[in-house]
Amino acid sequence: VLDLAAARRWGYGWDPAKSSIPRPKGRRMTSAEYADFPSCNAEASRRLMRGIDVKRDWLYAQTRQIEVDKAVKRDPRLRAAWDVWSRCVAEQGFTRYPDPVAAYSDTAWWRGSDGNTRHTARERATATADVTCKHRHHTAELWHAVRARQQTADIAGHRDRYAAGLRALRAYRVTVADVLRRLG
Protein backbone atom coordinates (compact mmCIF):
# COMPACT_ATOMS: atom_id res chain seq x y z
CA VAL A 1 0.00 0.00 0.00
CA LEU A 2 2.84 2.39 0.82
CA ASP A 3 5.97 0.57 -0.39
CA LEU A 4 7.25 2.51 -3.39
CA ALA A 5 9.87 -0.10 -4.37
CA ALA A 6 7.24 -2.88 -4.32
CA ALA A 7 4.85 -0.73 -6.39
CA ARG A 8 7.57 -0.14 -8.98
CA ARG A 9 8.43 -3.82 -9.17
CA TRP A 10 5.09 -5.61 -8.67
CA GLY A 11 2.38 -3.00 -9.22
CA TYR A 12 -0.77 -4.06 -7.37
CA GLY A 13 0.41 -7.67 -7.21
CA TRP A 14 3.24 -9.33 -5.36
CA ASP A 15 6.35 -11.39 -5.89
CA PRO A 16 5.03 -14.81 -6.97
CA ALA A 17 7.92 -16.45 -5.09
CA LYS A 18 6.47 -14.99 -1.86
CA SER A 19 2.87 -16.06 -2.39
CA SER A 20 0.74 -16.06 0.75
CA ILE A 21 -1.32 -18.99 -0.52
CA PRO A 22 -0.64 -21.90 1.81
CA ARG A 23 0.91 -24.91 0.21
CA PRO A 24 0.13 -28.40 1.46
CA LYS A 25 2.66 -30.00 3.78
CA GLY A 26 3.17 -33.66 4.51
CA ARG A 27 1.38 -36.48 2.79
CA ARG A 28 -1.85 -36.36 0.83
CA MET A 29 -5.07 -37.57 2.44
CA THR A 30 -6.02 -41.11 1.65
CA SER A 31 -9.34 -41.74 -0.10
CA ALA A 32 -10.84 -42.92 3.20
CA GLU A 33 -9.60 -39.81 5.04
CA TYR A 34 -10.92 -37.59 2.28
CA ALA A 35 -14.33 -39.26 2.49
CA ASP A 36 -14.39 -38.73 6.29
CA PHE A 37 -13.17 -35.12 6.13
CA PRO A 38 -16.56 -33.32 5.93
CA SER A 39 -17.99 -35.03 9.03
CA CYS A 40 -14.67 -34.82 10.90
CA ASN A 41 -14.35 -31.12 10.08
CA ALA A 42 -17.94 -30.47 11.18
CA GLU A 43 -17.36 -32.28 14.48
CA ALA A 44 -14.16 -30.31 15.10
CA SER A 45 -16.02 -27.05 14.45
CA ARG A 46 -18.82 -28.05 16.84
CA ARG A 47 -16.30 -28.84 19.57
CA LEU A 48 -14.33 -25.63 19.07
CA MET A 49 -17.45 -23.46 19.00
CA ARG A 50 -19.20 -25.17 21.93
CA GLY A 51 -20.89 -22.61 24.15
CA ILE A 52 -20.34 -19.79 21.65
CA ASP A 53 -23.25 -18.06 19.94
CA VAL A 54 -21.66 -17.80 16.50
CA LYS A 55 -24.14 -15.40 14.90
CA ARG A 56 -24.60 -13.15 17.93
CA ASP A 57 -21.12 -13.01 19.47
CA TRP A 58 -18.46 -14.71 17.35
CA LEU A 59 -19.12 -12.75 14.15
CA TYR A 60 -20.23 -9.50 15.78
CA ALA A 61 -17.04 -7.50 15.21
CA GLN A 62 -16.91 -8.61 11.56
CA THR A 63 -20.49 -7.55 10.93
CA ARG A 64 -19.90 -4.21 12.63
CA GLN A 65 -16.80 -3.64 10.50
CA ILE A 66 -19.07 -3.44 7.46
CA GLU A 67 -20.98 -0.56 9.08
CA VAL A 68 -17.78 1.11 10.26
CA ASP A 69 -16.36 0.93 6.71
CA LYS A 70 -19.51 2.59 5.36
CA ALA A 71 -19.16 5.39 7.90
CA VAL A 72 -15.47 5.80 7.07
CA LYS A 73 -16.26 6.14 3.36
CA ARG A 74 -18.82 8.87 4.12
CA ASP A 75 -16.39 10.94 6.21
CA PRO A 76 -16.04 14.36 4.51
CA ARG A 77 -12.36 14.76 5.45
CA LEU A 78 -11.52 11.39 3.95
CA ARG A 79 -13.58 12.06 0.81
CA ALA A 80 -11.69 15.34 0.38
CA ALA A 81 -8.36 13.52 0.88
CA TRP A 82 -9.33 10.91 -1.71
CA ASP A 83 -10.21 13.69 -4.13
CA VAL A 84 -6.76 15.27 -3.65
CA TRP A 85 -5.12 11.85 -4.06
CA SER A 86 -7.22 11.17 -7.19
CA ARG A 87 -6.23 14.48 -8.80
CA CYS A 88 -2.59 13.75 -8.00
CA VAL A 89 -2.74 10.34 -9.73
CA ALA A 90 -4.58 11.84 -12.73
CA GLU A 91 -2.03 14.68 -13.02
CA GLN A 92 0.62 11.99 -13.54
CA GLY A 93 -1.30 10.70 -16.56
CA PHE A 94 -3.34 7.91 -15.02
CA THR A 95 -7.02 7.15 -14.46
CA ARG A 96 -8.81 9.38 -11.99
CA TYR A 97 -9.98 6.75 -9.53
CA PRO A 98 -12.50 7.67 -6.81
CA ASP A 99 -10.28 6.16 -4.10
CA PRO A 100 -7.17 3.96 -3.65
CA VAL A 101 -9.26 0.78 -3.38
CA ALA A 102 -10.64 1.40 -6.88
CA ALA A 103 -7.09 1.75 -8.22
CA TYR A 104 -6.01 -1.48 -6.54
CA SER A 105 -9.06 -3.41 -7.75
CA ASP A 106 -9.12 -2.10 -11.34
CA THR A 107 -9.98 -5.04 -13.60
CA ALA A 108 -7.35 -3.83 -16.06
CA TRP A 109 -4.75 -5.51 -13.86
CA TRP A 110 -6.06 -8.97 -14.88
CA ARG A 111 -5.87 -10.77 -11.56
CA GLY A 112 -5.39 -14.52 -11.81
CA SER A 113 -7.11 -17.16 -9.71
CA ASP A 114 -4.52 -16.59 -6.98
CA GLY A 115 -5.33 -12.87 -6.89
CA ASN A 116 -1.95 -11.83 -8.26
CA THR A 117 -1.64 -9.50 -11.24
CA ARG A 118 0.41 -9.64 -14.43
CA HIS A 119 2.64 -6.73 -13.33
CA THR A 120 2.24 -4.84 -16.62
CA ALA A 121 4.17 -1.64 -17.19
CA ARG A 122 0.95 0.40 -16.98
CA GLU A 123 -0.08 -1.29 -13.73
CA ARG A 124 3.33 -0.74 -12.16
CA ALA A 125 3.39 2.91 -13.23
CA THR A 126 -0.14 3.45 -11.86
CA ALA A 127 0.75 1.77 -8.56
CA THR A 128 3.87 3.93 -8.33
CA ALA A 129 1.82 7.10 -8.87
CA ASP A 130 -0.72 5.84 -6.32
CA VAL A 131 1.92 5.30 -3.63
CA THR A 132 3.70 8.56 -4.46
CA CYS A 133 0.45 10.50 -4.08
CA LYS A 134 -0.43 8.73 -0.84
CA HIS A 135 2.94 9.76 0.58
CA ARG A 136 2.77 13.30 -0.77
CA HIS A 137 -0.72 13.98 0.62
CA HIS A 138 -0.66 11.76 3.74
CA THR A 139 -3.71 9.90 2.45
CA ALA A 140 -3.09 6.66 4.36
CA GLU A 141 -2.47 8.46 7.64
CA LEU A 142 -5.75 10.35 7.40
CA TRP A 143 -7.59 7.20 6.30
CA HIS A 144 -6.27 5.30 9.33
CA ALA A 145 -7.12 8.17 11.67
CA VAL A 146 -10.70 8.33 10.38
CA ARG A 147 -11.06 4.55 10.68
CA ALA A 148 -9.67 4.57 14.23
CA ARG A 149 -12.10 7.33 15.23
CA GLN A 150 -15.05 5.44 13.74
CA GLN A 151 -13.99 2.16 15.36
CA THR A 152 -13.60 3.84 18.75
CA ALA A 153 -17.05 5.39 18.47
CA ASP A 154 -18.57 2.08 17.39
CA ILE A 155 -17.00 0.19 20.29
CA ALA A 156 -18.19 2.85 22.74
CA GLY A 157 -21.70 2.65 21.31
CA HIS A 158 -21.87 -1.16 21.42
CA ARG A 159 -19.62 -1.96 24.37
CA ASP A 160 -21.74 -4.89 25.65
CA ARG A 161 -21.84 -6.64 22.29
CA TYR A 162 -18.09 -6.24 21.71
CA ALA A 163 -17.48 -7.56 25.23
CA ALA A 164 -19.59 -10.63 24.41
CA GLY A 165 -17.51 -11.14 21.28
CA LEU A 166 -14.33 -10.93 23.34
CA ARG A 167 -15.70 -13.50 25.81
CA ALA A 168 -16.47 -15.80 22.86
CA LEU A 169 -12.92 -15.41 21.56
CA ARG A 170 -11.51 -16.20 25.01
CA ALA A 171 -13.72 -19.31 25.28
CA TYR A 172 -12.50 -20.44 21.86
CA ARG A 173 -8.87 -19.96 22.89
CA VAL A 174 -9.42 -21.96 26.08
CA THR A 175 -10.88 -24.82 24.01
CA VAL A 176 -7.96 -24.71 21.55
CA ALA A 177 -5.42 -24.66 24.41
CA ASP A 178 -7.20 -27.64 26.00
CA VAL A 179 -7.10 -29.61 22.72
CA LEU A 180 -3.42 -28.82 22.21
CA ARG A 181 -2.63 -29.78 25.81
CA ARG A 182 -4.38 -33.16 25.31
CA LEU A 183 -2.52 -33.78 22.06
CA GLY A 184 0.78 -33.16 23.79
Side-chain angles (χ1 to χ4, degrees):
V1 173
L2 295 172
D3 185 336
L4 191 55
R8 284 185 179 123
R9 177 113 191 236
W10 305 111
Y12 290 107
W14 58 85
D15 181 348
K18 296 180 180 177
S19 175
S20 63
I21 295 174
R23 290 187 168 66
K25 294 182 174 111
R27 67 172 177 79
R28 290 184 177 269
M29 275 195 256
T30 65
S31 295
E33 289 168 334
Y34 187 77
D36 287 341
F37 180 74
S39 62
C40 179
N41 191 45
E43 175 60 23
S45 291
R46 276 192 298 279
R47 284 178 147 179
L48 286 171
M49 302 307 283
R50 190 176 341 166
I52 296 172
D53 186 329
V54 175
K55 289 181 182 175
R56 183 179 186 283
D57 299 332
W58 184 252
L59 301 175
Y60 184 72
Q62 289 176 344
T63 59
R64 288 304 305 161
Q65 189 58 44
I66 294 166
E67 297 306 313
V68 168
D69 285 344
K70 288 177 186 175
V72 168
K73 289 176 184 176
R74 288 189 306 265
D75 185 279
R77 288 183 345 166
L78 183 58
R79 296 199 63 76
W82 282 345
D83 190 50
V84 169
W85 167 88
S86 181
R87 276 196 312 272
C88 177
V89 171
E91 287 167 0
Q92 294 181 57
F94 302 100
T95 302
R96 184 164 177 166
Y97 295 100
D99 57 58
V101 174
Y104 175 85
S105 59
D106 190 331
T107 57
W109 312 142
W110 301 302
R111 291 190 185 278
S113 60
D114 65 352
N116 206 353
T117 64
R118 293 186 184 174
H119 318 297
T120 63
R122 180 80 177 166
E123 173 198 343
R124 288 180 287 120
T126 302
T128 300
D130 171 2
V131 171
T132 299
C133 292
K134 284 178 192 164
H135 282 292
R136 185 176 298 154
H137 299 290
H138 307 286
T139 310
E141 292 92 334
L142 178 63
W143 196 347
H144 287 291
V146 168
R147 177 170 299 216
R149 189 175 71 241
Q150 289 292 341
Q151 288 171 333
T152 300
D154 196 67
I155 291 167
H158 303 93
R159 186 169 302 284
D160 291 346
R161 292 296 311 277
Y162 278 104
L166 182 57
R167 285 190 300 275
L169 177 60
R170 287 179 178 149
Y172 180 83
R173 287 180 173 166
V174 165
T175 302
V176 169
D178 184 50
V179 168
L180 291 174
R181 194 171 27 261
R182 281 192 236 160
L183 292 174

